[in-house]
Amino acid sequence: MTEAVQSEPMPVPVRAARFIMTLDVAFGLVGIGIMIIVGAVAFSPAYVLLFLYAASTTALMGWLISRWPSRRKAVRWGAVALELVLGGGGLIVKAVDGDLGWTALVGLLIPLAVVVLLLTPAAARWFDR
């Protein structure tokens, strides 16, 4: 007979990071839907680039979440890199719009939280197996 193998449960920081990223994907999909509606009215090349950025980062984050149970190091570091790109991209968009104030820092909190959660020792142990 086959025996059930107990695996290490997902630690709280990893679970929290996955939950935050799942919410981010959900809100990203809502944002993409709104962008499609607005894009039908106000079409421009800059808008297309912004739409492609939003769609590609949302799709990549969804793919990373789907690969989460594999516990591979590449998934962890990919999520850290993606969140750094999202935080930096948000700052760049705010700077281009000329709205670089405290709201830009608030928008940086979610990617920063995921990066901090994934860089904890518990997350490192879980992803290293």
Side-chain angles (χ1 to χ4, degrees):
M1 284 201 118
T2 59
E3 294 183 29
V5 176
Q6 293 292 330
S7 63
E8 180 183 353
M10 192 180 303
V12 173
V14 177
R15 230 177 312 155
R18 185 178 69 172
F19 177 74
I20 292 170
M21 288 177 67
T22 302
L23 285 178
D24 206 7
V25 168
F27 287 126
L29 290 174
V30 170
I32 288 170
I34 292 170
M35 287 179 79
I36 289 172
I37 294 168
V38 172
V41 176
F43 183 79
S44 71
Y47 189 80
V48 171
L49 289 175
L50 184 63
F51 176 77
L52 289 175
Y53 171 75
S56 62
T57 55
T58 302
L60 185 57
M61 193 177 305
W63 181 78
L64 283 171
I65 291 171
S66 73
R67 302 295 305 151
W68 208 264
S70 72
R71 297 174 63 171
R72 296 181 60 186
K73 289 180 188 181
V75 173
R76 175 184 176 219
W77 291 113
V80 168
L82 179 63
E83 292 296 332
L84 290 174
V85 166
L86 286 173
L91 282 177
I92 290 170
V93 168
K94 294 284 186 178
V96 168
D97 286 343
D99 188 26
L100 197 59
W102 67 274
T103 56
L105 296 177
V106 171
L108 194 62
L109 287 178
I110 290 177
L112 185 63
V114 173
V115 168
V116 167
L117 287 170
L118 289 177
L119 293 179
T120 60
R125 279 192 306 271
W126 191 77
F127 276 105
D128 287 343
R129 295 189 234 182

